[in-house]
Amino acid sequence: MRLTDLRAYLVAVPAAGLVFGLVARWFDRPALSDQIWTGATLVVLIALAIEIVTSLRRGEVGLDIVAFLSMSAALAVGETLAAVVVALMYAGGQNLEAFAERRARREMAALLGRAPRTAMRYGDGGLAEVALDAVAVGDRLLVRQGDVVPVDGTVSGGIAILDEAAITGEAVPVQRRDGQPVISGTLNVGGPFDMLAGRIARDSTFAGIIRMVESAQRSKAPMARLADRYALVFLAVSLVIAGAAWFFSGDPVRAVAVLVVATPCPLILAVPVAIVSGLSRAAARGILIKGGKALEALARVRVLVLDKTGTLTRGEARITSEVVFGGIAAAEVLRLAASADQVSKHVVARTLVAEAEARGLVLSVPTDARETPGEGVTARIDGRQVSVGGIGFVTGLTDGADADALRSLKKDNGVVVAVAVDGRLAGGLLMVDEVRTGAADLLRHLRASGIDRIVLATGDRRAVADAVVGDLPVDVIHADLAPDAKVAIVIAERAYGPVMMIGDGVNDAPALAAAEIGVAMGATGSSAASETADVVLLVDQLDRVAEAIAIAARSRSIALQSVGAGIGLSVVGMIVAAFGLITPVQGAVLQEVIDVAVILNALRALGAGRGEGPSPG
């Protein structure tokens, strides 16, 4: 039986014992009522003793010991009613803590519960439902309406309408057309569609997310370990006050009342609830934080190291300007170029084809196509000879007219694609990997929220890095970097404070591991970066970094508030009890009120704070 289930049953024993004991007192059977209350308390004491021994074997010492001492002391001095009330309050507090943690983990539990177990696969005998582990790369699968996409892949015929909220935090369904990627874990809210498996199940996005979530749930924050150390101090303080009350008054009941007020301490309740609430809040916003350690570190970062391609920029070139010659319309130049480039696997060729399709252009089938690797393609399109590629390649196949105008398009951070039709230059297309929308505002916001230093670290040429940065509030630019050089920069930047590194590529993984906090662009980045990083942005939006920091800072602040207020109130209550102003029973009720208050306060970390997006739902 799980501990949470045991807590639910355990609270019923002192509750029933309290009721039956009061009934016995009503019928003037004090001896019987004392026996009932003692028996109910002993059941809780036995369960508590087992839990204390288990914790001690793990090297953990907490305030469960205070609860054990207070109940034992109450029984020893004949305060059986106080003992059973403490037992009820303790068991109820543990049950409430378990409920609060379940409430805080709701988003994560929902994520894990979405994991598909089977897939509908096409075979020689038609469709068959197979275990997810049986799906191989290249298998053709059917995703029915209401199904969760089982593995990463691409749409193969038709249009997929997907709800990606559980993965990215985006509430609006998205469309994916033929050939476009789909990620595992998203929900098909449209009609059935076919897909081709691009990865096996264990390598797919959703499986990786589940592994990271499970790791996050198992982790224990340094703050929680700090709480355990504080618990030892509080235990000592409680015993000193209880001993002093007994010594100076000669009344052992006062010592019992002091111990009762200290049971259990909000220190061990508020911290885990607030931390898990913060993790859950972040998960609901498409930000996967791998445990309490990362959550706390996020709140302390002072230096930001940014990769460029795929992080500060989109990681894919887009046509930003065009020039045409000879009277051919710009759209026609793009259509002819994209039609010819359908035969190429070059990244620029794929981008041209995608751009043309996005603009709704109808591409023709190329004939007599020839590709010069790394240079360009020539093909016959609708009876016309089309050449597309680099400036040198295309102008070498023409009379060279208008070449200077074509070169004027060139920018340090862009690529010019030249297009010739029937031996004459027809135009040029400037393709640039643009800075993400809102990047400047994000960096300024991070600066205002406590980031003292922003560093760009990229493997691209210095001229490209300078052109991309422009007016962005970046303090230092490092270019032409190998992966080990990025690690060296991260280590050097530690002199300025805790470092957060944001990247997306395999080459960023070592630097992500070296930083106090590594943040991976998980929606578009490599699996190596996502596995190495402490934080994964499941939605391809850089502004979620600011949200992650805001959530972390708020969760940590709420935990500290709860701990400070709870301990302060407990100490006041113990002093009042030491002077004999409250009885052990009243002390038990008072402490339970304090515990409920700090747990409810810790649960505030589930809600949205300043700098965060709207709450889901």
Side-chain angles (χ1 to χ4, degrees):
M1 181 181 294
R2 295 179 302 177
L3 180 58
T4 51
D5 295 331
L6 179 60
R7 287 173 178 173
Y9 287 112
L10 189 62
V11 73
V13 175
L18 178 62
V19 171
F20 288 128
L22 290 174
V23 171
R25 282 292 174 102
W26 179 266
F27 287 101
D28 197 24
R29 301 284 300 275
L32 178 59
S33 66
D34 286 340
Q35 292 172 357
I36 293 174
W37 289 335
T38 299
T41 303
L42 286 174
V43 171
V44 177
L45 275 173
I46 293 171
L48 182 54
I50 294 172
E51 193 166 327
I52 290 173
V53 171
T54 302
S55 298
L56 289 174
R57 287 178 175 173
R58 294 196 302 262
E60 299 175 359
V61 180
L63 286 179
D64 288 341
I65 295 176
V66 177
F68 184 86
L69 290 176
S70 64
M71 282 184 271
S72 301
L75 290 179
V77 299
E79 289 282 346
T80 55
L81 176 57
V84 77
V85 170
V86 172
L88 175 61
M89 294 303 181
Y90 174 78
Q94 294 293 296
N95 197 40
L96 180 59
E97 179 190 0
F99 167 77
E101 290 186 6
R102 289 195 300 270
R103 170 68 175 85
R105 294 178 189 270
R106 185 176 60 183
E107 298 293 341
M108 290 188 180
L111 190 66
L112 295 175
R114 293 170 59 91
R117 299 289 184 267
T118 61
M120 298 297 295
R121 183 175 64 184
Y122 288 98
D124 294 337
L127 273 172
E129 186 170 12
V130 299
L132 202 59
D133 292 341
V135 175
V137 175
D139 281 353
R140 189 178 186 88
L141 308 175
L142 171 67
V143 182
R144 300 164 297 189
Q145 185 174 21
D147 281 354
V148 173
V149 176
V151 295
D152 294 347
T154 56
V155 177
S156 178
I159 298 176
I161 302 177
L162 301 171
D163 178 0
E164 297 184 345
I167 305 299
T168 67
E170 292 299 315
V172 179
V174 299
Q175 279 192 4
R176 296 287 183 262
R177 297 180 179 275
D178 189 31
Q180 292 185 319
V182 292
I183 55 178
S184 55
T186 55
L187 179 67
N188 180 19
V189 295
F193 68 91
D194 290 348
M195 64 171 288
L196 294 179
R199 293 179 180 175
I200 59 175
R202 67 173 177 271
D203 294 335
S204 289
T205 300
F206 196 60
I209 290 172
I210 289 176
R211 287 194 296 270
M212 289 186 280
V213 169
E214 290 172 337
S215 174
Q217 289 180 328
R218 288 193 300 268
S219 70
K220 187 177 185 182
M223 192 173 177
R225 291 192 290 270
L226 187 63
D228 290 341
R229 293 197 292 272
Y230 282 163
L232 288 174
V233 175
F234 191 82
L235 172 60
V237 170
S238 302
L239 293 176
V240 167
I241 295 176
W246 190 354
F247 178 80
F248 288 108
S249 69
D251 184 4
V253 175
R254 290 194 184 187
V256 172
V258 170
L259 293 176
V260 165
V261 173
T263 310
C265 177
L267 191 65
I268 58 175
L269 299 178
V271 174
V273 171
I275 293 296
V276 174
S277 295
L279 297 177
S280 182
R281 169 66 191 165
R285 294 295 301 154
I287 307 162
L288 185 61
I289 302 176
K290 301 181 185 178
K293 179 181 178 180
L295 186 83
E296 291 189 54
L298 264 175
R300 302 194 306 270
V301 293
R302 292 295 177 266
V303 180
L304 171 61
V305 179
L306 276 167
D307 174 47
K308 182 187 75 69
T309 305
T311 303
L312 186 60
T313 64
R314 297 180 181 277
E316 56 182 25
R318 295 184 177 185
I319 297 174
T320 60
S321 58
E322 306 164 8
V323 62
V324 295
F325 315 108
I328 302 179
E332 180 64 7
V333 170
L334 174 59
R335 190 189 74 83
L336 292 173
S339 296
D341 264 345
Q342 291 178 102
V343 302
S344 175
K345 292 185 177 181
H346 193 277
V347 61
V348 173
R350 293 201 303 269
T351 302
L352 272 182
V353 173
E355 181 79 13
E357 291 177 341
R359 296 189 186 185
L361 303 178
V362 179
L363 303 185
S364 301
V365 178
T367 58
D368 299 328
R370 299 185 306 277
E371 180 175 11
T372 303
E375 297 289 341
V377 172
T378 60
R380 185 163 292 279
I381 307 296
D382 299 333
R384 309 178 76 176
Q385 189 70 21
V386 176
S387 301
V388 55
I391 294 176
F393 172 76
V394 174
T395 56
L397 301 176
T398 67
D399 57 11
D402 300 315
D404 290 339
L406 193 62
R407 291 188 180 93
S408 68
L409 276 178
K410 178 67 176 170
K411 292 184 178 180
D412 285 330
N413 62 327
V415 174
V416 174
V417 178
V419 184
V421 178
D422 294 331
R424 292 186 60 85
L425 279 176
L429 309 169
L430 176 63
M431 303 180 68
V432 176
D433 185 8
E434 296 179 301
V435 174
R436 290 177 181 271
T437 303
D441 291 338
L442 169 68
L443 296 184
R444 294 188 187 97
H445 175 75
L446 290 176
R447 178 90 71 187
S449 63
I451 301 294
D452 301 323
R453 186 172 168 87
I454 300 176
V455 178
L456 179 68
T458 178
D460 280 342
R461 294 175 291 112
R462 177 68 188 222
V464 174
D466 288 338
V468 166
V469 168
D471 297 328
L472 295 177
V474 173
D475 297 297
V476 182
I477 299 174
H478 296 285
D480 298 302
L481 298 177
D484 58 342
K486 287 188 178 183
V487 173
I489 287 170
V490 167
I491 293 174
E493 290 296 328
R494 290 178 182 169
Y496 299 94
V499 178
M500 176 169 64
M501 167 71 187
I502 307 178
D504 76 316
V506 174
N507 63 327
D508 295 321
L512 292 172
E516 277 80 359
I517 284 292
V519 180
M521 304 293 292
T524 56
S526 71
S527 58
S530 296
E531 293 286 347
T532 304
D534 304 290
V535 179
V536 180
L537 305 184
L538 302 177
V539 58
D540 191 27
Q541 294 179 12
L542 194 59
D543 60 0
R544 296 297 169 92
V545 175
E547 285 197 44
I549 293 176
I551 290 170
R554 185 166 182 265
S555 299
R556 187 172 185 271
S557 175
I558 288 173
L560 290 174
Q561 290 170 10
S562 298
V563 167
I567 289 181
L569 291 172
S570 294
V571 171
V572 171
M574 284 190 287
I575 293 174
V576 171
F579 282 97
L581 300 179
I582 58 176
T583 67
V585 173
Q586 292 169 337
V589 175
L590 173 62
Q591 185 56 58
E592 187 64 16
V593 171
I594 295 172
D595 292 339
V596 170
V598 298
I599 290 175
L600 294 177
N601 184 66
L603 282 172
R604 290 193 301 114
L606 281 170
R610 294 183 62 184
E612 300 176 37
S615 296

